[in-house]
Amino acid sequence: MTDRARALGPGLGASAGGEGLRRRRRRRWLRGAGLAVAVAVAATAGAAWALYAKLDGNITPDDAAARELARYEKERPTSLVKDAQNILLIGSDSRSGDENARYGRDSGTERSDTTILLHLSAGRRTATAVSLPRDLMVQVPACLGSDGTRGEPTFTMFNSAFQKGGSACTIRTVEKLTNIRVDHHMVVDFHGFKDMVDAVDGVTVCLDEPIDDKAAKLRLPAGRVTLNGEEALGYVRARKSLGDGSDTERMDRQQRFLGALVHKVQSNDVLLNPVKLYPVLDAATSSLTTDPDLASLRGLYELVRGLRHIPTERVQFLTVPREPYVHDANRDQLAEPEARRLFERLRKDAPVKVTEKSQKFSEHSHDEEPNGESENGGTAPTFRGNTAAEDTCG
């Protein structure tokens, strides 16, 4: 044994079975395990970031609308209640793109097939969705068209606003009609709606009679039916072949369907299950155009995180009170004073209630406090509508 080996002492690298070899192996194992953990963490973080980036990139920011609305900021209504939010949901009937082209010829224009003003109360105690009829006669302001020209103010059907000047024109029309500040907006097309329904594995509705609508390409049996995305789109868009063929009944059907969709999402714990949540988020964002503040996952998360705790019985759907237009029974006009009082209450974040039964609103109803009761015992005014808790098959 050399002097160096003696100096090192027994077992410190002097033999194959020595303690030194075991320590070196242990150090190599620890380094290898640490590297494996680091790689796994990096891979997981990388995958999570890739998924986040994909979803985040799905959303299209509506920068053009933001610029147009900024131009008219001084004439827009002001928000009265901090934390209350009003979101305008616009369903576009655009035929552009391969998926949407199957529903008709792309004329290069689009109208708002469905428009809903969604009011979220401060503290997120309630959510109230108000449908605005597409045939409602309204004053559409001078709006910037896609060709760069600005039109003149026009008294016309509500859904013409989207055709004349896109989402900005629709928002300005709604604000002038209601005196309610629109804080955010979302535009979704046919393809996005279908994907959303498919992502939650369909939505169940009940039909009083079979449906055979060639225009909507829809054939369904009577009774309880779970609709896939394609069927759901036909169901909410069909008009002349269902019921009395009126837009009133079509909006009622849309509201009941949306209530069933909300109920499905909440009852299946979609919002709490990442495996279920990802395809829903992917579908919801893929065909979504929003104001710049919402055009990110962070923006959408900030909006919806409080909605998980709103009970389905406090998610309400109704149509703005309206009546046949005096000069054309095939068009609508606001029914007053009911419509004005509804808008006032939403702007002040005061409660409203809905019932399936049609009720005449009283102009002399007491003004209530935010908890739904007035100082002198009055209750919130009631409008015809439904909630997400109601079973369409009940």
Side-chain angles (χ1 to χ4, degrees), residues 77-143:
T78 57
S79 298
L80 297 184
V81 180
K82 184 180 179 181
D83 192 40
Q85 294 276 291
N86 297 295
I87 301 99
L88 196 65
L89 310 176
I90 304 172
S92 165
D93 69 354
S94 171
R95 268 69 171 179
S96 65
D98 293 339
E99 287 293 331
N100 294 324
R102 61 188 300 182
Y103 302 106
R105 182 178 62 86
D106 181 12
S107 63
T109 63
E110 54 185 326
R111 295 196 181 195
S112 49
D113 200 54
T114 300
T115 305
I116 295 174
L117 180 63
L118 175 63
H119 175 76
L120 305 177
S121 68
R124 303 301 182 261
R125 300 183 305 274
T126 62
T128 303
V130 182
S131 294
L132 300 172
R134 61 183 184 179
D135 294 341
L136 187 69
M137 298 301 293
V138 298
Q139 188 70 38
V140 175
C143 294

Side-chain angles (χ1 to χ4, degrees), residues 19 50 65 72 103 167 199 270 274 279 324 370 372:
E19 183 64 22
Y72 293 96
Y103 302 106
S167 52
V270 169

Side-chain angles (χ1 to χ4, degrees), residues 139-155:
Q139 188 70 38
V140 175
C143 294
L144 182 66
S146 58
D147 60 357
T149 62
R150 191 171 298 278
E152 296 294 327
T154 309
F155 187 71

